[in-house]
Amino acid sequence: MAVRAPRPPAAPGRTDTPGSVRAWVIVGMLVVLMGLNYADKLAFGLAANPIIDEFDLTATQFGLANSVFYIPFFIATLGVGFLADRTSTTWLLGGIAVLWGLSQFSMVAAAGLGMIIFARLLLGASEGPTYGLVNHASFTWLKESDRSLASSLLSAGGSLGVMVGAPVLTWLIVDHGWRMAFIVSGAASILWCAVWLFIGREGPLSDRRRRAGKRGGDSAGAGAERGPDAGRGAAPASAAEPGPDPGFWRIVTTPTFIAVSLAAFAGNWSISVKLAFMPLYVQNVLGLTEHETSLYIVVGQLFTMLCVYVALAFVIKTMMARGHSGRVARGVLGGACVLFAGACMIAFVLLPGLPLKLAVSILAALVLISFPVGSTVIGQITPTRRRAGVLGTYAALYGLAGVIGPFVTGLFADAGATEAAGLDNGLLFWGALTLVCGAVAIAFTRPERDAERLAARAAAESADR
């Protein structure tokens, strides 16, 4: 009786390959998760007045409840980022979605400030790692040329969450009480987790999948990272390819990493200051009504989603597909957008006429392209096995702007001769900071060069050993 030789492991099917339909379904799920991320955060701000009234909170206590959100945010962003280098992102993403739900349900059960602070701490700890994780998870399913588009869509998910969440949550708060908004947003996060556990899985470009393939004798995944786009806008033989490990500190001290982190810092400064002070400014200084302010926010989100995260992402994807380097398509174009946004914020303060002011402030949202550009550039220079930790570090660094930006702007507002003059100074500082960060991004974002240097140093050190 002949002994049957064992079958070689099956090659990945067409539905389990980089850029397949399944890959974009995964990206779609992650876009929904980003939308829920912003909707969960939005609920607390929209319910501010009824929460303050019910628990008899002072403005300082309510401010504390907002601030504590960021204490575990950065710690978790760093820690979970490094954990994702060793653990399946499928389970990590499902776990943080469940924690979001639990934090929202904790708010429903709140009987005082202590429980509110607990819920905010839990939400901050679980939401902190999200942006880095969703980018890392999507990159394991996509070719280099598709990653800018995916990262932009993920960023657009936040805008979509605000656009959909604001009217829905407001309706729930007004007609059914503020607790119902937290029940619905928490349940949505739990439901997403249930669907994700059926759909989500590690992508074919995951380092874990690659190692498993090598153990099983499957070489199909070993070179998958390069794919058909190798040599077309991607860094050949770069640090992002399998090979010697350049090391975490080498990666995060490259000029490219520092430059894209600064650009994203300017982007997050924009988000945090707009959320905290722009409604106040347009109403108290420019004279807009609450309805007009709401319309202004919706128009701004539409511009951000359609023009920044979608249209501009297609431009970058097309440039990469036509052979432009990451230096040009991502570094120069992305940095120019940040630079232009800084000029727009300065113009917002200095230009006469309400329509012109509002128009240039909406154009300033171009700074937000720094998030998907930074994520994809980091994907170019970082090995897959290091990418989650590096993306987590990137998110933690730019996240600091969320703590610093509103505080500094408040200092300017208090120091001004009038509220309007103080806020003007704060916005001018915001514009000047963004100009500097944009210039740094243009000058120092060179992913191909830094990837080659990292790979060369790692190879040399490996040969010496």
Side-chain angles (χ1 to χ4, degrees), residues 342-418:
C344 284
M345 281 315 304
I346 293 173
F348 172 68
V349 175
L350 300 180
L351 286 175
L354 180 61
L356 194 55
K357 280 179 174 288
L358 297 179
V360 295
S361 72
I362 289 173
L363 289 176
L366 286 169
V367 69
L368 302 182
I369 195 62
S370 58
F371 295 121
V373 163
S375 297
T376 49
V377 163
I378 288 170
Q380 275 190 269
I381 68 173
T382 308
T384 305
R385 57 187 171 273
R386 290 281 185 186
R387 188 164 58 211
V390 174
L391 282 170
T393 303
Y394 163 71
L397 289 174
Y398 74 63
L400 290 172
V403 176
I404 301 170
F407 177 71
V408 170
T409 305
L411 290 177
F412 275 111
D414 289 338
T418 63

Side-chain angles (χ1 to χ4, degrees), residues 31 130 154 156 349 361 388 410 436-437 454:
V31 169
T130 305
L154 292 170
V349 175
S361 72
V436 171
C437 292
L454 287 168

Side-chain angles (χ1 to χ4, degrees), residues 85-99:
D85 286 331
R86 300 167 177 81
T87 307
S88 168
T89 54
T90 303
W91 291 102
L92 287 174
L93 287 167
I96 65 173
V98 169
L99 289 176

Side-chain angles (χ1 to χ4, degrees), residues 155-182:
S155 297
S159 295
L160 189 62
V162 172
M163 292 176 60
V164 175
V168 171
L169 293 172
T170 299
W171 168 70
L172 289 170
I173 291 166
V174 172
D175 289 4
H176 302 282
W178 68 266
R179 283 181 170 83
M180 185 57 66
F182 287 86

